[in-house]
Amino acid sequence: MPDTSPSERPAPPATGRTSPTQPPPERPQVPAADQTLRILSFLARQRGPVAASTIATTLGIPRSSVYHLLDALAAHGFVIHFPGERRWGLGTAAFELAGGYSRQQPLARLGRPLVAALADRAGESAHLAVMTGRDVLYIVEERAPRRPALVTDVGVRLPAHLTATGRAMLAALPREQVRALYPDASAFADRTGRGPSRPGELRDVLREVRSRGHAVEDGEVTLGLRSVGLAVRDHAGWPAAALALTWPVEAERNPGDLAALLADAARELERRIGRP
C-alpha cells in the first residue's frame, strides 16, 4: 500500500488545470495510458527517486490517480517504492526496455538512410554516433566517393572531447555532467597532440560550440581531416546522438555550409525518434 502520511494524502479532485510545463498536446483518447506514460517519462528525467506529490504537482495529475498508477507500475516492475524515503523511482522492467531498445538499434535503422542522403548531398563522408561514457560509438558510417577511409567505422569508439560528434553532444549536456565526466587532466585522451587536455580548455571548446550552434574539429582525430557535427536531441531535449560530416583539409569546405545540411538531417532524425 502507498504511504499516505499527511504530506502525501490524496489531494482534492483536480480542477482541470494542468502544469504549464507539461501540457498534454490534446485530450488523450486513453487518459490512464497517457498519464502512465507521462509518469514514466518524468521519472526517467530525474536524477533520483521522487515523491508521489511531486509527480502529481508537476504533471497536473490528481494525487489519488498517481498512487493508483504507481501501484500498477510497481506490480509490473516498472517502478519501485522506497518506503523509508517515501519516494518512487524506475524499476528493473524499465531497464529491460532500455536493453530492448539497444538490441533493436532504432537509431541506426532510422538514421542510416538519412546518413546516406547526407553524404550524397554534401559529397563528403557522413556518420552517426552515440555517447558511451567519455567515448563516442559510431553506429552508422557512409563513405563518400573518392574520399579517404576514416577511422570512424561502425563499432569504433573515439574520445568524445576530440570528435565533432562528441563535442556536439557534450555541449548539449548539463555542465555538471560534463564536469563529472572530465574532472581533471587524467580524463583526457590524446591522438594527434591537438585538442583540449584540461577541463578549462574543454569548457572553452564547448562554449564555442553552443555559440556557433555546431561543433568542429580540425586534425584532432586524424591529421589532415576536418569534421563538423550537430547533436540529435530526444523528446526530453537530451542528446540522443550526433551527426557529422568529415572532409580532407585540401577540399577547403565551409563548416557553416555543411552544418546547414546537418541541421536538416538532424531535425528529420529527431522527428523520427519522437521529438515534438
Side-chain angles (χ1 to χ4, degrees):
M1 292 292 292
D3 180 10
T4 54
S5 62
S7 62
E8 293 285 285
R9 285 186 188 130
T15 60
R17 293 176 295 178
T18 58
S19 167
T21 61
Q22 295 287 336
E26 57 185 21
R27 183 178 295 277
Q29 293 184 348
V30 187
D34 176 77
Q35 292 171 349
T36 300
L37 294 173
R38 290 171 61 205
I39 288 173
L40 285 173
S41 296
F42 175 75
L43 290 174
R45 293 193 296 268
Q46 308 311 305
R47 294 183 178 274
V50 297
S53 59
T54 300
I55 299 172
T57 301
T58 305
L59 301 182
I61 302 173
R63 203 177 302 180
S64 57
S65 297
V66 168
Y67 276 123
H68 289 311
L69 293 172
L70 288 172
D71 281 342
L73 286 167
H76 290 277
F78 285 96
V79 302
I80 185 170
H81 185 226
F82 299 90
E85 304 175 39
R86 297 178 181 174
R87 292 172 181 265
W88 297 80
L90 291 177
T92 55
F95 178 78
E96 291 169 0
L97 280 180
Y101 180 90
S102 298
R103 287 190 298 274
Q104 294 178 20
Q105 298 182 314
L107 269 173
R109 291 174 182 269
L110 294 172
R112 189 169 291 112
L114 294 175
V115 172
L118 181 60
D120 287 342
R121 290 183 65 194
E124 306 293 353
S125 297
H127 34 265
L128 176 68
V130 296
M131 283 282 292
T132 171
R134 286 196 291 263
D135 293 337
V136 292
L137 173 66
Y138 292 89
I139 60 175
V140 179
E141 172 78 18
E142 188 71 28
R143 180 180 171 187
R146 297 178 296 281
R147 287 305 192 213
L150 307 178
V151 298
T152 54
D153 202 359
V154 173
V156 168
R157 293 172 182 258
L158 289 174
H161 67 283
L162 297 178
T163 68
T165 51
R167 291 174 180 178
M169 288 184 279
L170 288 170
L173 290 175
R175 289 168 175 80
E176 297 80 6
Q177 189 166 344
V178 176
R179 283 197 296 268
L181 287 170
Y182 297 91
D184 52 47
S186 67
F188 291 81
D190 176 65
R191 284 181 58 87
T192 66
R194 301 185 181 185
S197 58
R198 297 192 301 271
E201 294 174 355
L202 179 60
R203 284 196 297 272
D204 292 340
V205 168
L206 300 184
R207 190 177 299 114
E208 292 177 3
V209 174
R210 298 183 191 103
S211 176
R212 280 193 306 262
H214 60 267
V216 296
E217 68 90 8
D218 186 354
E220 288 144 295
V221 174
T222 302
L223 291 173
L225 294 177
R226 293 174 176 166
S227 297
V228 59
L230 201 69
V232 175
R233 298 175 184 261
D234 64 15
H235 69 285
W238 285 77
L243 288 161
L245 288 163
T246 298
W247 68 98
V249 173
E250 58 269 20
E252 298 182 351
R253 299 298 301 265
N254 184 325
D257 293 341
L258 295 177
L261 297 179
L262 282 173
D264 291 339
R267 282 193 294 267
E268 176 58 22
L269 185 52
E270 288 176 344
R271 186 191 68 79
R272 293 186 182 189
I273 65 175
R275 188 181 187 201

